[in-house]
Amino acid sequence: MTAYIPMKEFAERRHKLMERMAPDSIAILPAAPERVRNRDVLHPFRQDSDFQYLTGFGEPDAVLALIPGREHGESVLFCKERNPEKELWDGFLVGPEGAIERFGLDDAFPISDIDDILPGLIEGRSRVYYPLGKDHNFDTQVMDWVKLIRSKVRTGAQPPGEFVALEHHLHDLRLFKSANEIRAMARAGEISAEAHCRAMRRARQGGSEYQLEAELIHTFMNHGARSTAYPSIVGAGANACILHYIENSAPLKDGDLVLIDAGCELECYASDITRTFPVNGRFSEDQKAVYEVVLAAQYAAIEAVRPGNHWNHPHEAALRVLCQGLIDLGLLQGTVEQALEEEAYKPFYMHRTGHWLGLDVHDVGDYKVGEAWRVLEPGMVLTVEPGLYIAPDNAEVDPRWRGIGIRIEDDVVVTRDGCRVLTEGVPKTVAEIEALMAG
């Protein structure tokens, strides 16, 4: 059960998906499997995002079938049966009856009976929607069900004639967040903002990158967010120039910057924040100069997040500011137009300015429709995260710039008249950061 998304919303999502399905079709979606960490120890279970979106059901070994027009119920779940002996060791199971009562499914059966029941639900349906190619074992299982139906053709059985990837329709629904989803993501953003503030205060004591990571995890869990949305990046000094640095083991040195890219996951919804700040609480003049360029680029990109603009507008706005800043700092020569046309900024800024955000940190949803960038609409949530990374071994630049890595990232929801930043609780101007660390 979830605190933010009511069961009726999961039912509405299933209904919306079935409205997009072809007549006489069936959709089949498996839950995430449990994964072995080492020997007989499992990784903490995290539900498949598509399955979570449609059910809110948090157990492995389950399969959802959506069957528009089925007389005895359109939403059917196969799940583990109640087992008091097993539950003594591994915890409570919902069971088929509980799935109907607690999660609003129309019908439910034991997962052990799926091979006997599901082929009969597929039979007579012209089209099967399922996540093609995502899981080899499930592909094999689906084909075995279809083979069973085909083996009975002479007795009148009708196998499906078409298989379609489920993701196209489902992921387009997921791209637009409801008010409840935005509420959950805003709370995740608040928790993560507090964690970043705590890490900034802790940095003044020196220590190591992993000690700042510990402050993040402490704050996440202290507020009920039991996991990170992705492995936390805590990069001090030149490590900030490594985009996906997760070793987090280096010492914090006086005079260095620290880049933290971290966010909690709350009820499977992700937050994603990046801040860069000085270990000793004071930016040097060179650090400040680069930082101000990145901050101006982020402000410009956020300003471009509004209905009617397309996906690439924030990136284009950030690029213009970054290129002008690089020229002003003497890191690039020529004009902004030349820098953009020749992509001269690439040694310093090699990624895009954002991505969709939701149940996945790099959430689903098309960035283009055909050949055109997707137009931004209310309810879409994205990150805005420009940066500059001046490699420590870049012999083309003045030594004073080398090893400076800066990224600033916030989570932004498109509204009817512009946008709203969900992660404002952590400071990002030079004055704000220095004041927080001094306090």
Side-chain angles (χ1 to χ4, degrees), residues 384-420:
V384 179
E385 50 179 306
L388 287 176
Y389 316 91
I390 307 169
D393 59 353
N394 188 338
E396 302 297 318
V397 303
D398 191 300
R400 67 180 177 143
W401 305 116
R402 296 175 193 170
I404 294 178
I406 293 168
R407 182 164 65 253
I408 307 170
E409 176 182 21
D410 283 295
D411 305 340
V412 181
V413 57
V414 184
T415 62
R416 286 182 296 178
D417 56 359
C419 68
R420 171 189 163 203

Side-chain angles (χ1 to χ4, degrees), residues 113-134:
D113 293 341
I114 194 169
D115 290 334
D116 298 324
I117 297 173
L118 193 51
L121 300 178
I122 297 173
E123 197 273 325
R125 298 280 160 174
S126 61
R127 180 179 293 184
V128 177
Y129 295 87
Y130 86 97
L132 292 160
K134 186 176 179 179

Side-chain angles (χ1 to χ4, degrees), residues 197 200-202 204 278-282 430-439:
C197 291
M200 286 183 188
R201 295 188 185 100
R202 172 62 178 79
R204 289 296 304 273
V279 171
N280 62 18
R282 299 288 296 180
V430 167
E432 290 169 343
I433 290 172
E434 291 184 346
L436 173 70
M437 297 185 72

Side-chain angles (χ1 to χ4, degrees), residues 235-243 257-260 274-277 287 290-291 294 348 387-392 401-408:
N239 291 335
C241 296
I242 304 171
L243 298 184
L257 294 176
V258 183
L259 185 155
I260 295 182
T274 306
R275 291 293 187 267
T276 311
F277 55 92
Q287 292 168 348
V290 179
Y291 188 93
V294 177
F348 309 104
L388 287 176
Y389 316 91
I390 307 169
W401 305 116
R402 296 175 193 170
I404 294 178
I406 293 168
R407 182 164 65 253
I408 307 170

Side-chain angles (χ1 to χ4, degrees), residues 8 58 98 141 153 161 193 328 358 360 381 388:
K8 67 176 182 179
Q141 194 171 18
V153 168
D328 293 343
D360 295 301
V381 181
L388 287 176

Side-chain angles (χ1 to χ4, degrees), residues 89-103:
W89 288 89
D90 298 328
F92 175 80
L93 293 171
V94 172
E97 290 184 4
I100 295 172
E101 295 172 3
R102 298 181 62 197
F103 291 87

